[in-house]
CSV table of all heavy atoms in Angstrom, one decimal:
chain,number,residue,atom,x,y,z
A,163,LYS,N,50.5,225.6,118.3
A,163,LYS,CA,51.8,226.2,117.9
A,163,LYS,C,51.9,226.4,116.4
A,163,LYS,O,52.4,227.4,116.0
A,163,LYS,CB,52.9,225.2,118.4
A,163,LYS,CG,53.2,225.3,119.9
A,163,LYS,CD,54.4,224.5,120.2
A,163,LYS,CE,54.7,224.6,121.7
A,163,LYS,NZ,55.8,223.7,122.1
A,171,VAL,N,56.1,232.1,109.4
A,171,VAL,CA,56.9,231.4,108.3
A,171,VAL,C,56.4,231.9,106.9
A,171,VAL,O,57.2,232.1,106.1
A,171,VAL,CB,56.7,229.8,108.4
A,171,VAL,CG1,57.2,229.1,107.2
A,171,VAL,CG2,57.3,229.3,109.7
A,179,LEU,N,61.0,235.6,98.9
A,179,LEU,CA,60.7,235.5,97.5
A,179,LEU,C,60.7,236.9,96.9
A,179,LEU,O,61.1,237.0,95.8
A,179,LEU,CB,59.3,234.9,97.4
A,179,LEU,CG,59.2,233.4,97.6
A,179,LEU,CD1,57.7,232.9,97.5
A,179,LEU,CD2,60.0,232.7,96.5
A,184,PHE,N,66.6,238.7,90.0
A,184,PHE,CA,66.5,238.2,88.6
A,184,PHE,C,67.6,238.8,87.8
A,184,PHE,O,68.2,239.8,88.1
A,184,PHE,CB,65.2,238.8,88.0
A,184,PHE,CG,63.9,238.2,88.6
A,184,PHE,CD1,63.4,238.8,89.8
A,184,PHE,CD2,63.3,237.1,88.1
A,184,PHE,CE1,62.2,238.3,90.4
A,184,PHE,CE2,62.1,236.6,88.6
A,184,PHE,CZ,61.6,237.2,89.8
A,185,ASN,N,68.0,238.0,86.8
A,185,ASN,CA,69.0,238.5,85.8
A,185,ASN,C,68.3,239.7,85.1
A,185,ASN,O,67.1,239.7,84.9
A,185,ASN,CB,69.4,237.5,84.8
A,185,ASN,CG,70.3,236.4,85.4
A,185,ASN,OD1,71.1,236.7,86.3
A,185,ASN,ND2,70.2,235.2,85.0
A,191,ILE,N,61.9,247.6,71.6
A,191,ILE,CA,60.7,247.4,70.9
A,191,ILE,C,60.8,248.2,69.6
A,191,ILE,O,61.0,249.4,69.6
A,191,ILE,CB,59.4,247.8,71.7
A,191,ILE,CG1,59.3,246.9,72.9
A,191,ILE,CG2,58.2,247.6,70.8
A,191,ILE,CD1,58.1,247.1,73.8
A,194,ASN,N,58.3,247.8,62.3
A,194,ASN,CA,58.8,247.7,60.9
A,194,ASN,C,60.4,247.9,60.8
A,194,ASN,O,60.9,248.5,60.0
A,194,ASN,CB,58.2,248.8,60.0
A,194,ASN,CG,56.7,248.7,59.9
A,194,ASN,OD1,56.2,247.6,59.9
A,194,ASN,ND2,56.0,249.8,59.9
A,195,GLY,N,61.0,247.3,61.8
A,195,GLY,CA,62.5,247.2,61.8
A,195,GLY,C,63.1,248.5,62.3
A,195,GLY,O,64.4,248.6,62.4
A,212,ARG,N,59.1,232.7,87.1
A,212,ARG,CA,57.8,233.0,86.5
A,212,ARG,C,56.7,233.1,87.5
A,212,ARG,O,55.8,233.9,87.4
A,212,ARG,CB,57.5,232.1,85.3
A,212,ARG,CG,58.5,232.3,84.1
A,212,ARG,CD,58.0,231.5,82.9
A,212,ARG,NE,58.1,230.1,83.1
A,212,ARG,CZ,59.2,229.3,82.8
A,212,ARG,NH1,60.2,229.9,82.2
A,212,ARG,NH2,59.1,228.1,83.0
A,231,ILE,N,60.1,234.3,79.9
A,231,ILE,CA,60.5,233.5,78.8
A,231,ILE,C,60.2,232.0,79.1
A,231,ILE,O,60.6,231.5,80.1
A,231,ILE,CB,62.0,233.7,78.5
A,231,ILE,CG1,62.3,235.2,78.3
A,231,ILE,CG2,62.4,232.9,77.3
A,231,ILE,CD1,63.8,235.6,78.3
A,238,VAL,N,49.6,230.5,77.5
A,238,VAL,CA,49.9,230.8,78.9
A,238,VAL,C,48.8,231.6,79.5
A,238,VAL,O,48.0,232.3,78.8
A,238,VAL,CB,51.2,231.6,79.1
A,238,VAL,CG1,52.4,230.7,78.6
A,238,VAL,CG2,51.2,232.9,78.5
A,260,ILE,N,54.6,241.1,69.0
A,260,ILE,CA,53.5,241.2,69.9
A,260,ILE,C,52.2,240.7,69.3
A,260,ILE,O,51.8,241.2,68.2
A,260,ILE,CB,53.3,242.7,70.4
A,260,ILE,CG1,54.6,243.2,71.1
A,260,ILE,CG2,52.1,242.8,71.3
A,260,ILE,CD1,54.7,244.7,71.3
A,263,ILE,N,47.9,242.5,73.5
A,263,ILE,CA,48.3,243.5,74.6
A,263,ILE,C,47.1,243.6,75.5
A,263,ILE,O,45.9,243.8,75.0
A,263,ILE,CB,48.6,244.9,74.0
A,263,ILE,CG1,49.8,244.8,73.0
A,263,ILE,CG2,48.8,245.9,75.1
A,263,ILE,CD1,50.1,246.1,72.3
A,270,LEU,N,46.0,243.0,92.1
A,270,LEU,CA,45.5,242.0,93.1
A,270,LEU,C,44.3,241.2,92.5
A,270,LEU,O,43.8,240.4,93.3
A,270,LEU,CB,45.1,242.7,94.4
A,270,LEU,CG,46.2,243.5,95.1
A,270,LEU,CD1,45.6,244.3,96.3
A,270,LEU,CD2,47.4,242.6,95.5
A,280,ASN,N,49.5,230.6,71.1
A,280,ASN,CA,50.8,230.2,71.6
A,280,ASN,C,51.7,231.4,71.6
A,280,ASN,O,51.8,232.2,70.7
A,280,ASN,CB,51.4,229.1,70.6
A,280,ASN,CG,50.7,227.8,70.8
A,280,ASN,OD1,50.1,227.5,71.8
A,280,ASN,ND2,50.7,227.0,69.8
A,283,GLY,N,56.9,234.3,75.1
A,283,GLY,CA,57.2,235.2,76.1
A,283,GLY,C,56.0,236.1,76.4
A,283,GLY,O,55.1,236.3,75.7
A,285,LEU,N,55.9,240.2,78.1
A,285,LEU,CA,56.6,241.3,78.6
A,285,LEU,C,55.6,242.1,79.5
A,285,LEU,O,54.5,242.5,79.0
A,285,LEU,CB,57.1,242.2,77.5
A,285,LEU,CG,57.7,243.5,77.9
A,285,LEU,CD1,59.0,243.3,78.8
A,285,LEU,CD2,58.1,244.3,76.6
A,300,GLY,N,51.9,243.6,66.6
A,300,GLY,CA,52.8,243.5,65.4
A,300,GLY,C,54.1,244.2,65.6
A,300,GLY,O,55.1,243.9,64.8
A,303,VAL,N,59.6,242.8,69.9
A,303,VAL,CA,60.5,242.9,71.1
A,303,VAL,C,61.8,242.2,70.6
A,303,VAL,O,61.8,241.0,70.3
A,303,VAL,CB,59.9,242.2,72.3
A,303,VAL,CG1,61.0,242.1,73.4
A,303,VAL,CG2,58.7,242.9,72.8
A,305,HIS,N,65.2,240.6,71.6
A,305,HIS,CA,65.9,240.0,72.6
A,305,HIS,C,66.4,238.6,72.1
A,305,HIS,O,65.8,238.0,71.3
A,305,HIS,CB,65.0,239.8,73.9
A,305,HIS,CG,65.8,239.3,75.1
A,305,HIS,ND1,65.8,237.9,75.3
A,305,HIS,CD2,66.5,239.9,76.0
A,305,HIS,CE1,66.6,237.8,76.4
A,305,HIS,NE2,67.0,239.0,76.8
A,308,PHE,N,64.3,235.3,71.4
A,308,PHE,CA,63.4,235.2,70.2
A,308,PHE,C,64.2,235.0,68.9
A,308,PHE,O,65.2,235.8,68.7
A,308,PHE,CB,62.5,236.4,70.1
A,308,PHE,CG,61.7,236.7,71.4
A,308,PHE,CD1,62.1,237.7,72.2
A,308,PHE,CD2,60.7,235.8,71.8
A,308,PHE,CE1,61.4,238.0,73.4
A,308,PHE,CE2,60.0,236.0,73.0
A,308,PHE,CZ,60.4,237.1,73.8
A,310,PHE,N,65.2,235.3,65.0
A,310,PHE,CA,65.1,236.4,64.0
A,310,PHE,C,64.7,235.8,62.7
A,310,PHE,O,65.1,234.8,62.2
A,310,PHE,CB,66.4,237.1,63.9
A,310,PHE,CG,66.8,237.8,65.2
A,310,PHE,CD1,67.7,237.3,66.1
A,310,PHE,CD2,66.2,239.0,65.5
A,310,PHE,CE1,68.1,237.9,67.3
A,310,PHE,CE2,66.5,239.7,66.7
A,310,PHE,CZ,67.5,239.1,67.6
Side-chain angles (χ1 to χ4, degrees):
K163 282 185 180 180
V171 170
L179 284 174
F184 292 85
N185 288 328
I191 296 181
N194 299 324
R212 288 189 296 265
I231 303 168
V238 299
I260 300 170
I263 300 174
L270 304 174
N280 288 336
L285 176 60
V303 172
H305 185 268
F308 306 107
F310 295 100

